[in-house]
Every structure is written in C-alpha cells, then in structure tokens.
Amino acid sequence: MASATVDDLVMLELDANNSVSVSRHGATVTSWRHKGEEILFLSSKAVFDNVKAIRGGVPICFPQFGPWDLGPQHGFARTARWSVYHPPTSLDEGTITAILELNDQQTDNAWGYKFTLLYSITLTHTTLELKVGVENNSPKPFDFTILLHPYFSVSNVEAISVTGFENSHYFDKNKDGAKFVQKENEVKITSATDKIFPNVIGPHALLDPNKNRVVVIHKENFPDTVVWNPWTEGAKKMSDFGDDEFAHMVCVEPGFVSNRVCLEPNQEFNASMTLSVEMK
Ligand SMILES: O=P(O)(O)OC[C@H]1O[C@H](O)[C@H](O)[C@@H](O)[C@@H]1O
C-alpha cells in the first residue's frame, strides 16, 4: 500500500502564522493556519495512505456528490493523485497562489469523459480562496455534480450557529430526503445533521462564541449548501473518525448538487469558495 510522503504536500506559506497545506491526494486542503490558529478540522484518525479519502480539511467531491453508480461515494477527485500545475507563487506581497490539476488520464476513467480540473488555492493574510474550474475536453456533452466539503474546527458544535438560511428550505438526508422549511436565519446543531439547502446565496457565517471567532463563507456559482455533522452514532460508524470528534467539527459545504451542471464540448464551469475570519 502506498503511504504519504513529503512530495504529497503543497505548502503555501505567507509567514510562520499564516499558511495552508494541500495534499496532492485528492487536492485536499489539510490545514489553514490563520494568525496562528487552525481553522479547519482534521480527524486524529484520518488515514494518509494515498488510497482513502482524507477525513477532514477540505476534500472535493467530483463528478458526483453522494452515492454514485459508476464509482465511489462523492466521486473520484478526492482520492485521485493531482499534479502541480503551478507551484506556490507570490503574486503580490501578501498573496500566494498554487494551482493543482486533475485530468481524465490521471484517473481510472470509469466515468468515460475527457476533462480537466484546475483547482486554484490562494492565501492572503485575511482570506483563503478555493476556486475550481472544470473543462469538457470530450467530443460530447457531460454532466456532473460538484461540492467543496470543508470541515471546520469548532469549540463545541452545540454552541455554534451557521447563518444565511432565512426563509429557505432543505432536504433532510437523515429523514429519507424529506423537504422542510427553514424560517430562521441560523442553523443550530443539536443532533445528527445532514441537510441540503438548495439555492441559498450566502454568505454564511459560522459563529463560534467560545472562540470569539466568526468564519465567513462566500460562494460563487455554488447555489447549494450542505450542512453535516455525524453526531454520536454516525461518528462510531466511521473508522477514520474519533467517537467524540463530532463535538469539535461542522461541515458547511458549498456545491452545485441539487441540479446537475451540463457542459458542452470545450465549455468550462467555474465556481469558488472564499473563507475569511473575523475575531470578535
Ligand atoms: O463519509 P463520506 O463519504 O466522506 O461522507 C461524509 C458526508 O458527506 C456529506 O456531508 C454528505 O451529505 C453526508 O451524507 C456524508 O455522510
């Protein structure tokens, strides 16, 4: 079995307190240190064998979010080995960018289409921008769903709230996909949560009063947002997740999942998530 090496990591470092690390396995952002604080959650049981998806950070789901007839749950992008298209480079003072690439030749191609994914990671002293581009290099159209799956580190999941959902609706995956109305702006997490909110523009604010911290999640061309926490029972079912770790994480996931993206030959799809942190 392959195991992770230094060569697997792409590091974007502004200074000792502001950095991002990205694994070429799945282009998974595994850490974002902002002013010395880790913003992302990475399970203590995450497996780095270059086979399994990394449990935490920011995995990317493509060409399928959720179960998939043609391959693994959440698609192949999070377990494929990406290449470095553009190594970390400082564009201006205080901005560093790297670009990773995945194309059909780097996957087992069960999907059957030719494509190029470019994933730009840009770090500044105030933001982390993750931008994904999909190009159809096939002679025929294809369609897909896509989602960024950030795991945020929180003090205590029952103390936090996530805003940006006023007068929306959601499909509850824990209740056979039943549809519910969300009147309140804030989502609170007090039990197993797996909700798909279609067409919420955002931004979302993840308020963590115990940390005096707000993480703001801006999204472009990701109409949907999924909120997930596995809670006790879900945690126990995952071999790469500690039984008590659900209390210290929440996933707020921008995606294009309630409808499929359709791309004609040579067409491109672009979307991004930009995170910023405010201390209160
Ligand atoms: O265990 P994974 O395949 O990484 O999926 C983890 C979770 O991802 C998303 O948030 C889905 O909405 C959940 O249904 C799923 O359980």
Side-chain angles (χ1 to χ4, degrees):
M1 184 186 284
S3 62
T5 66
V6 172
D7 177 47
D8 293 320
L9 276 187
V10 177
M11 294 291 302
L12 291 80
E13 204 159 28
L14 282 176
D15 55 44
N17 289 320
N18 293 279
S19 60
V20 163
S21 38
V22 188
S23 171
R24 287 178 56 195
H25 180 63
T28 311
V29 174
T30 52
S31 162
W32 175 26
R33 274 171 47 79
H34 171 79
K35 296 189 176 155
E37 276 191 37
E38 179 58 58
I39 306 300
L40 301 175
F41 165 88
L42 182 65
S43 172
S44 61
K45 298 207 164 171
V47 176
F48 298 92
D49 62 357
N50 285 337
V51 178
K52 202 171 166 58
I54 296 170
R55 178 69 66 196
V58 189
I60 174 167
C61 305
F62 173 88
Q64 175 73 25
F65 167 69
W68 190 30
D69 289 345
L70 297 178
Q73 149 124 323
H74 293 338
F76 49 67
R78 67 176 179 162
T79 50
R81 186 168 180 82
W82 292 56
S83 53
V84 178
Y85 179 82
H86 205 299
T89 309
S90 290
L91 302 175
D92 308 310
E93 202 181 324
T95 305
I96 185 163
T97 300
I99 306 177
L100 272 65
E101 177 185 1
L102 183 71
N103 61 47
D104 46 282
Q105 286 161 22
Q106 294 161 275
T107 69
D108 65 8
N109 206 15
W111 194 35
Y113 296 102
K114 288 183 184 298
F115 67 90
T116 307
L117 286 186
L118 288 180
Y119 193 38
S120 312
I121 299 131
T122 302
L123 176 67
T124 73
H125 281 104
T126 51
T127 57
L128 171 62
E129 183 198 62
L130 303 177
K131 195 171 173 182
V132 63
V134 183
E135 191 181 301
N136 181 355
N137 309 129
S138 292
K140 52 191 174 180
F142 63 57
D143 57 63
F144 59 90
T145 50
I146 185 165
L147 171 135
L148 299 181
H149 199 306
Y151 289 70
F152 294 101
S153 169
V154 298
S155 58
N156 171 359
V157 75
E158 293 188 74
I160 61 119
S161 49
V162 187
T163 69
F165 298 100
E166 192 169 13
N167 294 325
S168 58
H169 68 271
Y170 63 87
F171 297 99
D172 194 333
K173 288 174 79 177
N174 288 333
K175 293 189 175 136
D176 296 326
K179 186 176 175 180
F180 293 87
V181 171
Q182 164 85 23
K183 286 210 177 76
E184 305 78 19
N185 185 26
E186 298 187 347
V187 168
K188 296 278 219 177
I189 315 265
T190 52
S191 59
T193 302
D194 196 355
K195 298 177 175 175
I196 302 180
F197 292 86
N199 296 313
V200 282
I201 302 164
H204 302 295
L206 165 56
L207 285 75
D208 191 339
N210 297 340
K211 284 187 190 272
N212 295 319
R213 186 163 90 187
V214 179
V215 179
V216 182
I217 303 154
H218 281 273
K219 43 191 207 136
E220 288 283 337
N221 208 20
F222 280 134
D224 313 319
T225 301
V226 179
V227 180
W228 179 63
N229 181 287
W231 214 252
T232 42
E233 291 312 306
K236 283 184 191 141
K237 286 184 192 147
M238 292 184 281
S239 59
D240 58 348
F241 190 88
D243 287 356
D244 301 325
E245 286 184 326
F246 73 92
H248 303 295
M249 54 72 67
V250 65
C251 292
V252 183
E253 311 158 21
F256 204 124
V257 298
S258 58
N259 288 303
R260 301 184 71 79
V261 181
C262 300
L263 279 188
E264 294 295 324
N266 301 316
Q267 258 193 339
E268 269 179 51
F269 166 86
N270 289 288
S272 66
M273 168 177 81
T274 305
L275 305 176
S276 56
V277 180
E278 295 167 13
M279 299 309 291
K280 293 287 165 190

